[in-house]
Amino acid sequence: QVQLQESGPGLVKPSETLSLTCTVSGGSVSSGSYYWSWIRQPPGKGLEWIGYIYYSGSTNYNPSLKSRVTISVDTSKNQFSLKLSSVTAADTAVYYCARDLFADYWGQGTLVTVSS
Amino acid sequence: EIVLTQSPATLSLSPGERATLSCRASQSVSSYLAWYQQKPGQAPRLLIYDASNRADGIPARFSGSGSGTDFTLTISSLEPEDFAVYYCQQRSNWITFGQGTRLEIK
């Protein structure tokens, strides 16, 4: 059974960089069959796809976030990561990692609050 | 950006009734559409992909139909655990979600 688990700080100051890691178990990020995604959900609101990465390192980002987002993969650790720079309160959300572009496996989500 | 519009925003039904949820795309997404169910405090759960294919472990009472710009999720006979928020999502041109339909107990 594939499992994903997000980790990282729950509180980030405005203008700083949000950094999260997703650890995959029961499957491999090196599998050529899947993309690996980050999705977020502000409290009480809908879902927004942030971006995704292929094991080769090829990425695709939400145009509205593209200038601030970096997604990377570490196949040796079976992890992929998200960095979002210059955060504001509008970036406060539950951040999910997920498998593929129709997300069949999700992490439990981690709430990141942007506040001083 | 492809905009997905879900209707109704809220649907009030009783267990045992049939639920019909709609998702309309601002331009054709072919069959690149999925449906998710989300309960409070939980991650979304994939129900349907490619418009009409049930994901692994999804009960047969869930079905999806449509192509192009108009899609429907049908729950044939509501169970108590089906009351939740439902989202559609397209991956034809970038990836976007609809705003959700809340299915509540009448």
Side-chain angles (χ1 to χ4, degrees), chain A:
Chain A
Q1 177 80 339
V2 176
Q3 293 185 312
L4 295 88
Q5 177 68 58
E6 305 89 353
S7 59
L11 181 64
V12 181
K13 290 182 168 55
S15 80
E16 296 190 343
T17 296
L18 177 160
S19 296
L20 296 173
T21 296
C22 182
T23 300
V24 179
S25 58
S28 173
V29 296
S30 300
S31 165
S33 301
Y34 304 107
Y35 294 90
W36 302 91
S37 296
W38 286 98
I39 299 157
R40 69 180 182 178
Q41 185 172 36
K45 296 187 177 180
L47 298 157
E48 180 180 40
W49 211 286
I50 300 169
Y52 58 85
I53 191 165
Y54 196 51
Y55 79 100
S56 62
S58 173
T59 55
N60 200 352
Y61 302 138
N62 188 322
S64 69
L65 300 170
K66 190 172 184 176
S67 63
R68 300 194 292 129
V69 173
T70 302
I71 297 176
S72 58
V73 64
D74 187 336
T75 56
S76 67
K77 295 181 179 179
N78 216 29
Q79 295 175 335
F80 60 106
S81 298
L82 169 70
K83 291 188 185 298
L84 181 65
S85 63
S86 305
V87 297
T88 69
D91 295 310
T92 293
V94 175
Y95 285 76
Y96 296 101
C97 57
R99 187 179 83 166
D100 222 359
L101 306 186
F102 285 149
D104 55 356
Y105 289 96
W106 295 66
Q108 65 187 28
T110 186
L111 174 62
V112 179
T113 301
V114 178
S115 175
S116 55

